[in-house]
Amino acid sequence: MDDVDRRIIDHLVRDGRAGYARIAADVGLSAPAVKRRVDRLVADGVVKGFTAVVDPDLMGWAVEAYVEVHCRGTITPEALGSAFARIPEIHAAATVSGQADAILRIVARDVRDLERALERVRTEVDNVDHTDTAIVLSRLIDRYTG
Amino acid sequence: MDDVDRRIIDHLVRDGRAGYARIAADVGLSAPAVKRRVDRLVADGVVKGFTAVVDPDLMGWAVEAYVEVHCRGTITPEALGSAFARIPEIHAAATVSGQADAILRIVARDVRDLERALERVRTEVDNVDHTDTAIVLSRLIDRYTG
DNA sequence: GGTGAAATGAGCACATG
DNA sequence: CATGTGCTCATTTCACC
């Protein structure tokens, strides 16, 4: 992981479909050298994959919410993770410091979907005391790199 | 936006670097037809772009946090958005319903960076009463499609 | 990591239903 | 109007240096 790798990753984050020749010109290497580095970065898991960035509004994924999950007693991150993984509306989940035990980002088609997902969180995850939901009103920023 | 478009998008979300021929075989069209649809989806803004998915831990972006922003009085989403946009550590920001006015996802290099970003939020954004920060302990889920 | 050749895929004009 | 076909050119991807 040297500086060239970082510049290659930066380029790929900005344009995930950029050709090796363009990246090579950017970082000052040949195209095959860039491909070898990208292959290695993917194999090492530094680059986990490539994806299309979709406008949620235009796709009909209208309702998004941030949900604090508060649990009774103690629960392992692994147990939380495997339970959350079964709920497809959960796009991001993380255990956090502070009063809440975990924070979820839920993306649902409509309010009904959101309600259903929240109900599954409360029933399928062990020891959930309560959830605190903040529904997204307007998306201000959606960055993919710093 | 028909069902074929949705399947193309689904394919591109799963693999942002997939060739048109592979997508074509998947959805039952020819490669040029798929390219035309993808070009249209990008032009229409349904697909906003393509990006590499990077493992934050392996990149040294070690500290991530969800931050509730509580404001005094009223503030427009536009004012919040333009203020947040100046702080590069903020990767996602949205106004929300409930007690908080906005929720941020901040990705910082270390705790010092996080602290600096939070200080900027409190000073550069108008009418901020207080912030409530939950530092991510472990990432459980990071999905890019439902 | 660079170079060159072979294979693969992109991208375009034109014809078709 | 959107798709399919055949072609040309660029890119990828592999060998080897």
Side-chain angles (χ1 to χ4, degrees):
Chain A
M1 266 295 291
D2 59 3
D3 193 61
V4 177
D5 283 335
R6 269 182 283 274
R7 284 168 64 195
I8 291 174
I9 290 172
D10 187 64
H11 200 118
L12 284 171
V13 167
R14 289 200 316 272
D15 178 10
R17 282 179 84 83
Y20 296 122
R22 287 222 182 97
I23 304 171
D26 191 17
V27 301
L29 286 179
S30 67
V34 171
K35 176 188 157 36
R36 282 192 288 259
R37 278 173 180 261
V38 172
D39 287 345
R40 180 174 50 75
L41 289 167
V42 171
D44 292 353
V46 179
V47 173
K48 295 199 284 184
F50 300 90
T51 189
V53 182
V54 175
D55 189 314
D57 294 332
L58 297 176
M59 278 291 287
W61 300 334
V63 181
E64 180 177 343
Y66 289 93
V67 179
E68 286 186 0
V69 179
H70 297 256
C71 295
R72 291 180 296 271
T74 52
I75 186 163
T76 64
E78 291 75 20
L80 281 175
S82 59
F84 290 150
R86 283 193 291 270
I87 304 172
E89 287 86 358
I90 298 177
H91 280 223
T95 56
V96 293
S97 70
Q99 294 175 330
D101 292 291
I103 288 184
L104 315 176
R105 190 171 74 89
I106 292 185
V107 181
R109 300 230 337 261
D110 49 43
V111 180
R112 213 182 170 76
D113 261 18
L114 174 61
E115 191 178 22
R116 223 184 91 262
L118 285 172
E119 190 57 28
R120 292 188 65 184
V121 170
R122 285 190 284 260
T123 58
E124 295 181 22
V125 183
D126 284 340
N127 290 328
V128 171
D129 185 73
H130 69 281
T131 57
D132 192 347
T133 303
I135 294 181
V136 168
L137 300 176
S138 63
R139 281 177 259 261
L140 268 24
I141 295 179
D142 251 304
R143 271 183 200 147
Y144 299 88
T145 178
Chain B
M1 266 296 292
D2 59 2
D3 192 62
V4 178
D5 283 335
R6 268 180 283 274
R7 283 167 63 193
I8 291 174
I9 290 173
D10 187 63
H11 199 116
L12 284 172
V13 168
R14 289 200 315 272
D15 179 10
R17 281 179 86 83
Y20 296 121
R22 286 222 181 87
I23 305 172
D26 191 17
V27 302
L29 284 180
S30 68
V34 171
K35 177 188 156 38
R36 282 190 287 261
R37 278 174 180 262
V38 172
D39 287 345
R40 181 173 49 75
L41 288 167
V42 172
D44 291 354
V46 179
V47 174
K48 294 200 284 184
F50 300 91
T51 189
V53 182
V54 175
D55 189 313
D57 295 332
L58 297 176
M59 277 292 286
W61 300 334
V63 181
E64 180 177 344
Y66 289 93
V67 180
E68 287 186 359
V69 179
H70 298 256
C71 296
R72 291 180 296 271
T74 52
I75 186 163
T76 63
E78 292 74 21
L80 281 174
S82 60
F84 291 149
R86 284 193 290 270
I87 305 172
E89 287 86 357
I90 298 177
H91 280 224
T95 56
V96 294
S97 70
Q99 294 175 329
D101 291 291
I103 287 185
L104 315 176
R105 191 171 75 88
I106 292 185
V107 180
R109 300 231 329 267
D110 50 41
V111 181
R112 212 182 171 75
D113 261 18
L114 175 61
E115 191 178 21
R116 224 184 91 262
L118 285 172
E119 191 57 30
R120 292 189 65 184
V121 169
R122 285 190 284 260
T123 58
E124 294 182 22
V125 183
D126 284 340
N127 290 328
V128 171
D129 186 73
H130 70 280
T131 57
D132 191 348
T133 302
I135 294 182
V136 168
L137 300 176
S138 63
R139 279 177 261 261
L140 269 22
I141 295 178
D142 251 305
R143 269 182 203 148
Y144 298 87
T145 176

